[in-house]
């Protein structure tokens, strides 16, 4: 019998600040599948993934994680989440290794890290090319290195489902390629992935389906062979003539 999908959203609606933001999203991520969410600013991509990780309640519809309704789902250690525009620097001095090791907490609880935990941390650092920076303070990292550390933190938990909101934002092409390689290895091991992206970049060959959102609804779904078309359509729709004067569509409440 096939396993239940890693994520299943059924006619999901959500409101923020009293305004409807998701208008009835249907979205599935099958086991081992890599799904990219594309769409213009404000189309509802982050809200969709935040609903999936339980940070935004639905007003109607449902979400199932690994076959369980989200309100009954308890196995959050199976999920690695990299939020949008988050920071590894918390104000207290912490090394890259310490931040990545914190990704094991959902598995170790208060138990000290064992050999298996340390191996998972080393592997995550290696995967994102940060092993040589393990002792560095996170406060000294560049934006791209910072993002790699946050992804390593999620990978250290050995998640079966990885959810990343704009993992390539502010990451140069060399780092994007390192992240693509890391993700490829993870996917080869069977991890399911939901990614919010603005462009597919080096991740494109990994993506099985691209779901384009518009105004809180699924506008179009592209299969693997159409990913290039999806990226092209998205580029035309979302970046037609960049206006340096325009204000980004942000409330600032999510930062
Ligand atoms: N905390 C909030 N309170 C009120 N409205 C919000 C809040 N967060 C987001 N919104 C609104 O919800 C809509 C969807 O936002 P969301 O962040 O999901 O879009 P997005 O597709 O991820 O955009 P971006 O590409 O800019 O990250 C936007 O109109 C946004 O202004």
């Amino acid at each position: 019998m096939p396993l239940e999908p890693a994520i299943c959203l059924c006619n999901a609606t959500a409101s923020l600040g009293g305004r409807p933001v998701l208008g009835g999203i249907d979205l599935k991520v099958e086991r081992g599948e890599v799904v990219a969410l594309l769409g213009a600013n404000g189309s509802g991509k982050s809200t969709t993934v935040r609903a999936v990780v339980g940070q935004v309640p639905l007003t109607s519809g449902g979400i199932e994680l690994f076959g369980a309704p989200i309100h009954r789902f308890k196995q959050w250690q199976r999920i690695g989440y990299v939020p949008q525009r988050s920071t590894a620097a918390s104000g207290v001095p912490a090394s890259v290794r310490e931040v990545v090791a914190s990704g094991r907490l959902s598995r170790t609880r208060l138990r000290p890290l064992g050999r298996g935990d340390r191996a998972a941390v080393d592997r995550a650092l290696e995967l994102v090319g940060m092993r040589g920076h393990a002792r560095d303070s996170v406060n000294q990292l560049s934006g791209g290195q910072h993002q790699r550390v946050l992804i390593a933190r999620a990978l250290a938990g050995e998640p079966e489902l990885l959810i990343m909101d704009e993992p390539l934002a502010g990451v140069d092409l060399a780092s994007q390629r390192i992240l693509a390689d890391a993700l490829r290895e993870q996917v080869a091991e069977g991890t399911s992935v939901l990614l919010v992206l603005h462009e597919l970049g080096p991740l494109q060959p990994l993506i099985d389906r691209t779901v384009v959102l518009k105004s809180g609804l699924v506008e179009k779904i592209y299969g693997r062979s159409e990913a290039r078309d999806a990226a092209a359509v998205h580029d035309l729709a979302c970046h037609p003539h960049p206006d340096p004067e325009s204000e980004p569509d942000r409330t600032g409440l999510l930062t």
Side-chain angles (χ1 to χ4, degrees):
M1 212 174 71
L3 293 169
E4 303 93 345
I7 301 175
C8 184
L9 264 85
C10 178
N11 202 14
T13 71
S15 295
L16 289 171
R19 209 167 55 82
V21 172
L22 303 184
I25 303 263
D26 289 313
L27 175 72
K28 247 186 213 171
V29 178
E30 300 287 353
R31 300 288 178 102
E33 202 180 21
V34 181
V35 174
L37 276 183
L38 291 186
N41 291 136
S43 55
K45 304 179 298 294
S46 292
T47 308
T48 302
V49 298
R50 293 181 67 228
V52 170
V53 297
Q55 292 183 356
V56 171
L58 296 189
T59 40
S60 67
I63 298 176
E64 288 186 358
L65 297 169
F66 298 103
I70 191 165
H71 61 274
R72 272 200 252 128
F73 184 75
K74 300 271 185 283
Q75 302 167 315
W76 291 100
Q77 74 281 4
R78 298 175 76 180
I79 299 180
Y81 173 48
V82 182
Q84 187 183 30
R85 291 171 290 137
S86 53
T87 173
S90 59
V92 287
S95 70
V96 165
R97 193 184 172 82
E98 285 165 339
V99 169
V100 174
S102 71
R104 286 300 288 180
L105 283 178
S106 61
R107 293 202 176 261
T108 60
R109 311 281 168 187
L110 294 175
R111 163 174 72 73
L113 294 193
R115 190 183 298 175
D117 301 311
R118 288 195 296 273
V121 171
D122 286 340
R123 179 178 176 272
L125 283 165
E126 187 76 50
L127 272 174
V128 302
M130 290 296 286
R131 190 110 185 236
H133 293 274
R135 289 166 185 266
D136 293 358
S137 161
V138 283
N139 299 316
Q140 296 165 356
L141 300 179
S142 71
Q145 289 173 329
H146 207 92
Q147 187 68 357
R148 280 150 66 177
V149 169
L150 292 171
I151 292 168
R153 183 175 66 178
L155 294 178
E158 297 178 296
E160 290 168 62
L161 167 64
L162 192 55
I163 299 175
M164 299 198 276
D165 195 344
E166 296 196 32
L168 303 184
V171 175
D172 66 24
L173 196 59
S175 296
Q176 289 189 17
R177 293 204 177 108
I178 291 171
L179 291 181
D181 288 343
L183 206 58
R184 186 173 298 110
E185 279 210 31
Q186 208 58 36
V187 170
E189 289 178 10
T191 306
S192 316
V193 184
L194 177 63
L195 294 157
V196 173
L197 293 173
H198 271 284
E199 49 195 46
L200 304 182
L203 297 182
Q204 185 183 313
L206 296 172
I207 292 167
D208 295 306
R209 262 177 329 119
T210 304
V211 176
V212 180
L213 299 189
K214 185 176 181 184
S215 307
L217 289 168
V218 173
E219 185 186 37
K220 200 155 167 58
I221 301 176
Y222 295 87
R224 180 171 262 287
S225 60
E226 305 159 311
R228 217 177 278 272
D229 302 345
V233 169
H234 172 72
D235 257 9
L236 274 179
C238 302
H239 314 292
H241 300 288
D243 174 3
E245 302 289 305
S246 68
E247 286 291 317
D249 182 13
R250 298 231 185 272
T251 62
L253 296 175
L254 283 179
T255 56

